[in-house]
Amino acid sequence: FLKTAILASGQEFQDAEAASALAYHTEVPVLLTAPTKLVTQAHTALVALHVRQVIVMGGTLAITNTVVKAVEAMTVTGHPVSVLRVAGKDYTDTAVQLAKMELNGTVTAGLDWDSTTVLIARGNGFTDGIAGAVLEHMAPMPQLLTESQTTVGTYLTTFLKAYGKGFDTTEGHITHLLIEGGPLAVTPTIIAQMQADL
């Protein structure tokens, strides 16, 4: 198992938030960088921590290929650093793509988490999702994001329908939602919508 770190943009919080549950459960550090340049602090941390594999969160608008190439050009303890980019069409989709990786044991870098529960936090506010990552002490659970407190979003809706108990998947079924925050963070209306999607 290669020493791993997660790299996310320091300008927006959503991708780091989506990765917070993975980071907590696997004890993998989350490092922040500028979208267009691998900052010195992140580079220094990768070397100091002997990181050989980096999970880059988000697409090229979040972290450019220039940053990815800078990481791939690194050598740590005489070995190259490999990069796995987890990217969606927006931050809700990036969270979904990471959840699929966490739940899938058959694809490259799949983690094969046997989870029937997912964490859900609002995507336009960071406090609940970041604090909720510690719930990973119970069991590994993907962290997913709504578009806002009143909108689920297309990508999360599609994920819940595909991985819900009504759909036959080889990885099992999502049967429970653990909502982070009260009714002002995620409204009862969209909670009911997500439950129906399962």
Side-chain angles (χ1 to χ4, degrees), residues 14 16-22 24 95 117-138 141-146 148-149 156 176-188 190-191 194:
Q14 287 92 346
E17 180 177 353
S20 63
L22 173 63
Y24 182 88
T117 303
V118 292
L119 300 167
I120 303 283
R122 63 183 275 198
N124 63 340
F126 66 89
T127 49
D128 295 321
I130 295 294
V134 299
L135 295 171
E136 289 292 303
H137 75 276
M138 297 186 297
M141 295 176 282
Q143 168 84 45
L144 295 160
L145 304 175
T146 65
S148 68
Q149 57 268 58
L156 178 53
H176 295 83
L177 306 174
L178 189 51
I179 307 298
E180 300 165 89
L184 295 179
V186 181
T187 65
I190 70 166
I191 291 173
M194 290 186 288

Side-chain angles (χ1 to χ4, degrees), residues 58-73:
T60 55
L61 293 179
I63 294 182
T64 63
N65 286 330
T66 301
V67 176
V68 170
K69 288 176 183 176
V71 174
E72 290 175 330

Side-chain angles (χ1 to χ4, degrees), residues 29-50:
V30 177
L31 305 175
L32 303 178
T33 189
T36 59
K37 178 184 178 184
L38 181 63
V39 298
T40 302
Q41 295 90 335
H43 184 281
T44 300
L46 291 171
V47 174
L49 296 170
H50 306 292

